[in-house]
Amino acid sequence: MGSPWKGFVEFTLPASPPTAFVSADLSTSPVGLSLSPYGRSMSFDPSLLHNNGHTAFANGTGVGIRETGVVEKLLTSYGFIQCSERQARLFFHCSQYNGNLQDLKIGDDVEFEVSLDKRTGKPIAVKLVKIKPEVLPEERISGQVGPDMHASPITKLHGYIHPVVSAIPTHLDGKSAPGQVPTGSVCYERNGEVFYLTYTPDDVERNMHLDTGDRVSFYMETNKHTGAVSARNIVLVKKKQMRCQGVVCATKEAFGFIERGDVVKEIFFHYSEFKGDLEALQAGDDVEFSIKERNGKEVATDVRLLPQGTVIFEDISIEHFEGTVAKVIPKVPSKNQNDPLPGRIGARINFSEKELPFGEKDTKSKVTLLDGDHVRFNISVDRRDKLERATNIEILPDTFQFTKESREMGVIAAMRDGFGFIKCVDRDARMFFHFSEVLEESPLHISDEVEFTVVPVSRLERSLAKDMLSAQRNHAVRIKKLPKGTVSFHVQSEQRFIGQVDREATPASAAANKNVSPSKAKEKDAEEGVIAYEDCGVKLTVPYYIKDLEGAALPQLGDKVEFSISEVKRTGLQSAVSIKILNRTGNSKRLLGFVATLKDNFGFIETANHDQEIFFHYSEMCGDVDNLELGDTVEYTLSKGKGNKVSAEKVTKVAPVNGIGEDVGTTVLLGKVTRPLRSVDPSQTEYQGLIEVTEEGASKGQSYPFGIVSMASKADCLQKGELVKFQLCTVVHTSQKMACHIVPQRRALVESVKDQFGFITYEVGESKKLFFHVKEVQDGLELQTGDEVEFSVILNQRTGKCSACNVRRVSEGPKPVATPRPERLVNRLKSITLDDASAPRLVIVRQPRGPDNSKGFSIERKARQPGVID
């Protein structure tokens, strides 16, 4: 069969080979037959038979049958042999051994005849001959895993043979029938013939799991009792090439990386290996790929997209767990930090203490975590390496009872895109915060009361900050919204004191300059007054301000007043509040009105009868002018200035009252504005506007006045000729019918839309177009030219210009259609050819010249064939 068995003669048997040597008369000498170790052929060798001429049968009547066995026990003068071909144990005397007794050892293979002991009549072994051991080639056989039990063409590699493995069946979970050991087979080829060797799990090194098609290397071993040859010391050389799955985790200009789904590892791939639309590939896509080695490194090849959600890296528990943060993730990672999950949470799970890692992406929000936080989380188990970690981490409401942090309170003072500032109760400076630090999902608004923790920002964090605001030394974090009335900047005494005005207070900048605008007036503090009082026999003084008065009357020097004392928590400064004058009544009549117009430094008040307007300067406003809005109810006193002009003094904002009266009709009428308010058209002498009823009925053609309080939206600017819906009411003091709850009915088409603004085809005053900003479009829709919209018109009191607000699309306009080219132009283009003398030609107006005044190229350009080099 080959060089390892020189001296053998080989032939193939048509049936299963015998399991024992058989004596046969081939020519003149007996020969022995043996089963080839490869199981597919038989070999014989005369030198294997050492009967020394003995030809007796086992019963002593003829030529004896030679058997083989193994020396099982060996004493000084006798021993025992275990037969190989049958279940028998035979005695032998050492005198029956043909050879040097010193060379015979336990385990040696021997050949013998069976005879009967003359004394006992039992069978014994006689004429023992030691069999020369059959030496199998100790070459290591290696190869690759095949798809089934049939071998494909195999080649030699570095002198080794490439076998194919048929794996041990795993459908029984590694179990087999009682008394049966699960086996697999290895097949290999020698000299064009295929052989199979069996193996068991014990024959595989390091208990490695083998699959059909794996490439392995092994040694061959012969069973001394049965003569069967099997594979041993099997080592996995290379796993069968299989398709792997993963998720694209990064994309560069010409390559990317895939996070593998079978091991915790990333693998490189080039875009040329992606089979699909490269423009659609992005990070997070599920893909499958093959793995190949290039330049000693593994790379992904034949990358193809999979349906989203195919690749799953981890299993997340349904059950929620609670624990304590043992280690937080550092804001600025150190250079030596390589742990992707640097955070730690301690928890008691299944009656044992565990410490679970977590990373930045495992928190539900970006709220800062602190050591000792009480949190709730799920447990994620990585399918690849069975690593457990905490995920979906959220702070529990009771966490502030566990942490030792100092909580502060304040009010939201300002908000921008993504950040804001808090006015603190215990600090002078406003505290910066990010929206990501808000614990509740509901949005914050200005003046909301909050509780927060102040954390210092390290120098390194400030250097890495993207803007100057984020680089402040302290930030507010872990912001919790509080109920209204929780935060107080002052402490007010419950005791009421009686005192006397020692110095009068004046409004801000009123005494200095009555023509100063409110914006400049805010730069100067209101001049404080002083009240003298006694407390427990001690004479004391306390300052007061106009804003802390009850009622519209201003206290004068010597007036007796009642008040409470308020102390600022942060500074401890005291002042009189809730001041009430005791011994004086106002000597001037206080009137009620409604703010009708607000300009730069003055405004107008609509009277209680809604028939005229009164001028007032902002310096006469008792309180903050910025808090005034159109339609606000105010109290004022009339006074006459230069030229006997009437104006309002000591204007005070009061609680809103019903300016349109109680008697409001339920009928909704349709009308048209025949005269706007004077604030819209300053050229008219009358203050009131007029609406004429256009609806068919008894009141058609009648006109009704209206004022600022009649408008449903006080900021809406009604123009002459506009259609409106309204109701009627009766003025309390005059019993006059008046329009109220006026809602304009405006519809128009969008004329044009620019980047952030547009125009509506609507006539306002002298302009035939109405401006609007895209922020005023409801529902965030993108308007197109020709869309029909509804809107409100507002008047900028300071510039006098109108614009549209609350723009709502009613219907879409016609889609623009590309105008086809004229038929004459199409025909003309089709008829033009390069050879057409009548075709347009390029006419040189001026011959180009080079810097040296030459006519372009010195060498004449020649036409040449493409691909031919001169």
Side-chain angles (χ1 to χ4, degrees):
M1 180 171 169
S3 58
W5 288 275
K6 290 180 179 179
F8 283 73
V9 178
E10 179 179 329
F11 59 92
T12 303
L13 296 179
S16 300
T19 58
F21 288 96
V22 181
S23 177
D25 187 7
L26 300 179
S27 71
T28 58
S29 60
V31 296
L33 294 176
S34 65
L35 179 65
S36 168
Y38 302 102
R40 288 291 188 90
S41 59
M42 298 291 293
S43 302
F44 69 95
D45 187 350
S47 63
L48 292 178
L49 305 180
H50 303 280
N51 54 11
N52 292 330
H54 298 287
T55 59
F57 287 95
N59 56 10
T61 62
V63 178
I65 296 176
R66 303 288 291 179
E67 293 189 31
T68 59
V70 179
V71 177
E72 184 184 63
K73 188 174 183 180
L74 184 61
L75 299 177
T76 304
S77 59
Y78 65 93
F80 290 91
I81 297 173
Q82 177 67 47
C83 298
S84 299
E85 289 81 12
R86 56 195 176 95
Q87 293 294 327
R89 189 168 180 263
L90 302 177
F91 170 88
F92 74 91
H93 197 273
C94 290
S95 61
Q96 292 292 325
Y97 177 67
N98 185 10
N100 188 359
L101 194 60
Q102 300 296 326
D103 296 335
L104 189 64
K105 296 180 178 59
I106 296 176
D108 284 348
D109 293 330
V110 293
E111 188 182 55
F112 56 91
E113 291 181 6
V114 180
S115 180
L116 297 177
D117 190 334
K118 295 178 180 179
R119 184 170 56 85
T120 63
K122 294 181 179 181
I124 60 173
V126 297
K127 301 178 182 179
L128 275 70
V129 177
K130 184 176 180 181
I131 301 175
K132 295 179 181 179
E134 182 178 7
V135 180
L136 292 176
E138 277 295 315
E139 61 179 331
R140 191 156 187 89
I141 300 177
S142 61
Q144 75 176 38
V145 177
D148 49 34
M149 295 291 290
H150 301 285
S152 55
I154 304 173
T155 59
K156 289 189 178 181
L157 178 63
H158 304 299
Y160 295 122
I161 303 171
H162 297 243
V164 178
V165 169
S166 176
I168 296 174
T170 57
H171 61 279
L172 297 176
D173 299 328
K175 300 178 181 179
S176 58
Q180 182 181 358
V181 178
T183 61
S185 63
V186 179
C187 69
Y188 63 98
E189 177 264 349
R190 184 183 292 275
N191 293 341
E193 193 169 359
V194 178
F195 302 93
Y196 293 83
L197 298 179
T198 60
Y199 75 94
T200 65
D202 295 335
D203 295 322
V204 183
E205 296 288 339
R206 298 187 297 275
N207 294 323
M208 184 71 69
H209 175 71
L210 298 179
D211 295 315
T212 300
D214 287 345
R215 293 183 61 183
V216 295
S217 66
F218 58 91
Y219 292 104
M220 290 192 299
E221 182 180 53
T222 303
N223 189 307
K224 293 180 179 180
H225 299 283
T226 64
V229 181
S230 61
R232 64 177 175 85
N233 300 112
I234 300 174
V235 177
L236 178 66
V237 175
K238 188 177 181 181
K239 293 293 290 182
K240 177 185 177 181
Q241 182 69 34
M242 299 179 67
R243 296 286 286 174
C244 299
Q245 295 181 343
V247 175
V248 177
C249 58
T251 54
K252 306 297 182 181
E253 288 186 5
F255 60 91
F257 292 91
I258 300 171
E259 185 175 357
R260 293 174 58 174
D262 53 344
V263 293
V264 184
K265 188 178 180 182
E266 292 181 2
I267 188 169
F268 168 93
F269 75 98
H270 194 272
Y271 286 167
S272 60
E273 293 290 346
F274 179 70
K275 311 301 181 185
D277 183 10
L278 193 58
E279 297 295 331
L281 184 66
Q282 58 185 354
D285 285 345
D286 293 358
V287 292
E288 67 171 359
F289 54 93
S290 301
I291 299 177
K292 289 186 179 179
E293 272 197 18
R294 289 178 182 169
N295 299 327
K297 294 184 178 179
E298 289 185 337
V299 298
T301 61
D302 191 20
V303 182
R304 299 177 185 271
L305 277 177
L306 291 174
Q308 201 69 17
T310 302
V311 182
I312 301 176
F313 291 113
E314 57 193 14
D315 297 311
I316 299 178
S317 65
I318 300 176
E319 181 183 0
H320 284 85
F321 301 89
E322 294 185 6
T324 305
V325 176
K327 181 183 177 183
V328 298
I329 301 174
K331 291 286 186 181
V332 181
S334 61
K335 294 181 179 179
N336 299 326
Q337 179 180 322
N338 297 320
D339 187 2
L341 304 173
R344 296 291 183 271
I345 291 179
R348 187 170 182 83
I349 301 172
N350 296 332
F351 307 103
S352 63
E353 296 293 334
K354 277 190 176 182
E355 193 172 75
L356 300 171
F358 68 92
E360 290 184 358
K361 297 181 180 180
D362 290 319
T363 54
K364 271 194 171 181
S365 65
K366 293 185 178 180
V367 176
T368 301
L369 288 178
L370 297 179
D371 288 338
D373 268 341
H374 190 204
V375 294
R376 180 170 57 192
F377 59 92
N378 299 101
I379 295 180
S380 169
V381 180
D382 197 306
R383 292 184 175 184
R384 298 167 293 181
D385 58 359
K386 306 305 178 185
L387 174 67
E388 291 184 343
R389 79 174 198 278
T391 190
N392 297 333
I393 303 168
E394 55 181 339
I395 300 176
L396 292 174
D398 62 350
T399 186
F400 304 113
Q401 302 174 9
F402 296 86
T403 58
K404 299 179 181 179
E405 60 189 301
S406 175
R407 301 286 285 173
E408 299 186 19
M409 291 191 292
V411 175
I412 303 296
M415 297 175 69
R416 300 287 187 271
D417 294 334
F419 65 91
F421 293 91
I422 299 173
K423 181 182 178 182
C424 305
V425 172
D426 301 320
R427 297 173 184 260
D428 292 330
R430 296 194 303 177
M431 193 62 59
F432 173 86
F433 74 95
H434 276 287
F435 287 176
S436 60
E437 291 291 345
V438 181
L439 291 172
E440 292 87 357
E441 295 183 359
S442 58
L444 287 179
H445 302 91
I446 293 178
S447 77
D448 279 349
E449 300 176 13
V450 293
E451 182 185 59
F452 56 92
T453 302
V454 177
V455 295
V457 180
S458 66
R459 184 177 300 177
L460 181 57
E461 287 180 85
R462 291 202 300 271
S463 66
L464 296 176
K466 296 181 180 179
D467 49 56
M468 293 300 293
L469 293 173
S470 299
Q472 293 189 358
R473 293 184 179 275
N474 293 327
H475 284 187
V477 298
R478 302 155 67 85
I479 299 167
K480 181 181 179 182
K481 194 173 180 180
L482 298 175
K484 284 289 185 183
T486 305
V487 178
S488 174
F489 292 88
H490 305 81
V491 178
Q492 184 171 330
S493 64
E494 296 181 0
Q495 180 183 356
R496 297 285 289 177
F497 298 90
I498 304 295
Q500 190 175 12
V501 176
D502 197 33
R503 187 176 70 202
E504 293 183 14
T506 57
S509 304
N513 185 4
K514 290 194 176 184
N515 295 320
V516 178
S517 66
S519 59
K520 293 182 179 179
K522 293 174 78 174
E523 298 175 3
K524 298 183 180 181
D525 294 333
E527 186 178 346
E528 65 182 28
V530 176
I531 298 174
Y533 71 103
E534 284 189 9
D535 185 15
C536 299
V538 180
K539 292 185 178 182
L540 301 170
T541 59
V542 64
Y544 77 95
Y545 299 91
I546 296 293
K547 64 182 180 64
D548 295 319
L549 296 175
E550 288 186 356
L554 295 177
Q556 298 177 358
L557 186 65
D559 282 346
K560 189 176 181 181
V561 293
E562 183 184 33
F563 60 93
S564 300
I565 293 179
S566 173
E567 182 177 322
V568 180
K569 290 182 179 180
R570 185 176 68 254
T571 61
L573 295 177
Q574 294 182 339
S575 62
V577 295
S578 303
I579 304 167
K580 184 178 180 181
I581 300 174
L582 297 179
N583 64 345
R584 181 171 63 89
T585 58
N587 52 9
S588 58
K589 186 179 179 181
R590 300 287 290 173
L591 301 175
L592 199 68
F594 309 93
V595 177
T597 308
L598 293 171
K599 299 292 186 181
D600 279 341
N601 53 11
F602 65 92
F604 289 91
I605 299 172
E606 182 182 291
T607 61
N609 294 335
H610 313 292
D611 55 355
Q612 59 180 329
E613 58 182 358
I614 306 296
F615 170 87
F616 76 98
H617 195 275
Y618 286 167
S619 60
E620 295 293 342
M621 181 67 194
C622 298
D624 192 355
V625 179
D626 288 342
N627 291 333
L628 273 185
E629 293 182 359
L630 293 177
D632 282 350
T633 307
V634 293
E635 279 186 348
Y636 61 95
T637 303
L638 290 178
S639 68
K640 290 186 178 182
K642 295 180 181 180
N644 268 346
K645 291 185 177 181
V646 179
S647 63
E649 291 183 344
K650 300 178 182 178
V651 180
T652 306
K653 183 177 178 180
V654 296
V657 298
N658 187 4
I660 59 176
E662 300 292 338
D663 183 19
V664 179
T666 57
T667 305
V668 178
L669 303 174
L670 294 178
K672 181 175 68 172
V673 178
T674 57
R675 185 178 70 198
L677 290 175
R678 190 171 182 274
S679 58
V680 177
D681 184 9
S683 62
Q684 67 187 35
T685 56
E686 297 84 358
Y687 163 71
Q688 286 181 318
L690 285 178
I691 296 177
E692 180 183 341
V693 179
T694 58
E695 188 177 13
E696 294 292 339
S699 59
K700 182 179 180 180
Q702 295 185 14
S703 296
Y704 296 96
F706 69 92
I708 190 67
V709 296
S710 303
M711 303 296 299
S713 173
K714 305 298 187 290
D716 212 337
C717 178
L718 283 181
Q719 302 290 322
K720 183 178 179 180
E722 286 192 313
L723 299 178
V724 295
K725 286 183 178 181
F726 66 97
Q727 296 169 269
L728 293 177
C729 68
T730 304
V731 181
V732 177
H733 302 291
T734 63
S735 299
Q736 180 187 10
K737 289 290 184 181
M738 177 180 174
C740 64
H741 298 162
I742 302 172
V743 178
Q745 304 295 302
R746 299 188 182 101
R747 281 196 181 188
L749 300 180
V750 176
E751 182 188 73
S752 61
V753 179
K754 306 294 183 182
D755 185 20
Q756 294 292 322
F757 60 92
F759 292 93
I760 299 172
T761 307
Y762 190 79
E763 186 173 349
V764 180
E766 297 180 357
S767 176
K768 295 186 178 181
K769 294 188 294 185
L770 184 63
F771 171 89
F772 73 92
H773 197 278
V774 294
K775 291 183 178 178
E776 295 293 342
V777 181
Q778 295 182 0
D779 301 327
L781 297 176
E782 186 175 344
L783 296 180
Q784 303 290 337
T785 301
D787 289 350
E788 186 179 15
V789 293
E790 287 183 348
F791 53 93
S792 299
V793 178
I794 57 173
L795 174 67
N796 189 318
Q797 298 281 352
R798 296 180 179 176
T799 63
K801 295 183 178 180
C802 293
S803 61
C805 67
N806 301 327
V807 182
R808 184 177 68 87
R809 185 168 69 186
V810 178
S811 63
E812 294 187 27
K815 300 294 182 182
V817 180
T819 306
R821 287 183 174 182
E823 189 66 26
R824 58 180 180 78
L825 179 59
V826 175
N827 294 334
R828 175 65 175 162
L829 292 174
K830 288 181 179 180
S831 63
I832 293 177
T833 62
L834 294 177
D835 299 330
D836 189 359
S838 63
R841 290 287 185 266
L842 178 66
V843 179
I844 300 176
V845 179
R846 182 178 61 82
Q847 183 70 32
R849 294 181 180 273
D852 57 352
N853 206 27
S854 63
K855 294 183 179 181
F857 298 99
S858 59
I859 304 176
E860 184 180 358
R861 300 182 68 180
K862 299 178 181 179
R864 64 179 183 83
Q865 278 187 315
V868 178
I869 301 176
D870 296 336

